[in-house]
């Protein structure tokens, strides 16, 4: 069968152990169905306070991304999409808040 757009990445989550005042790590699983060979992932990180950060390109063999340089105690939205040769599939979305900065 010919390739098509992939589904959204599965099981998007925030990795609790990596949560800091200036960083968050988002993880995900393979899209089901993949509809072809996954070439990589695009991760958009944004907040209402600071706007969107540059889009990160993640290799197909990685299933997580660490956003650094974030503002303490701020909500961030992560949008993760998978890519096949046909293009970019729909986004999986999760919102998380960075921790308070220590005084």
């Amino acid at each position: 069968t010919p390739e098509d757009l992939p589904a959204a990445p599965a099981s998007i989550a925030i990795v609790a152990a990596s949560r800091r005042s200036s960083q968050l790590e988002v993880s995900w699983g393979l899209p089901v169905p993949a509809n072809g060979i996954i070439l990589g992932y695009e991760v958009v990180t944004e907040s209402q306070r600071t706007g969107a950060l540059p889009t990160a390109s993640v290799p197909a063999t990685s299933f997580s991304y660490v956003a650094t340089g974030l503002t303490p105690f701020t909500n961030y939205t992560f949008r993760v999409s998978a890519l096949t040769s046909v293009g970019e599939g729909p986004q999986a979305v999760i919102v998380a808040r960075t921790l308070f900065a220590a005084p």
Side-chain angles (χ1 to χ4, degrees):
T1 51
E3 288 202 358
D4 199 353
L5 294 177
S11 307
I12 190 168
I14 296 298
V15 180
S18 70
R19 204 166 169 199
R20 306 276 185 272
S21 62
S22 63
Q23 92 175 27
L24 291 167
E25 181 177 2
V26 61
S27 67
W28 59 87
L30 280 171
V32 178
N35 290 329
I37 297 170
I38 300 300
L39 301 176
Y41 299 92
E42 297 288 309
V43 181
V44 176
T45 307
E46 62 186 337
S47 79
Q48 288 185 342
R49 234 187 232 180
T50 59
L53 301 173
T55 299
S57 295
V58 178
T61 54
S62 295
F63 298 98
S64 68
Y65 170 73
V66 179
T68 59
L70 305 180
T71 303
F73 203 62
T74 300
N75 283 340
Y76 284 88
T77 302
F78 291 90
R79 302 177 195 280
V80 182
S81 56
L83 304 164
T84 64
S85 63
V86 176
E88 182 177 355
Q91 298 173 327
V93 179
I94 194 167
V95 177
R97 180 177 289 184
T98 50
L99 300 177
F100 270 122

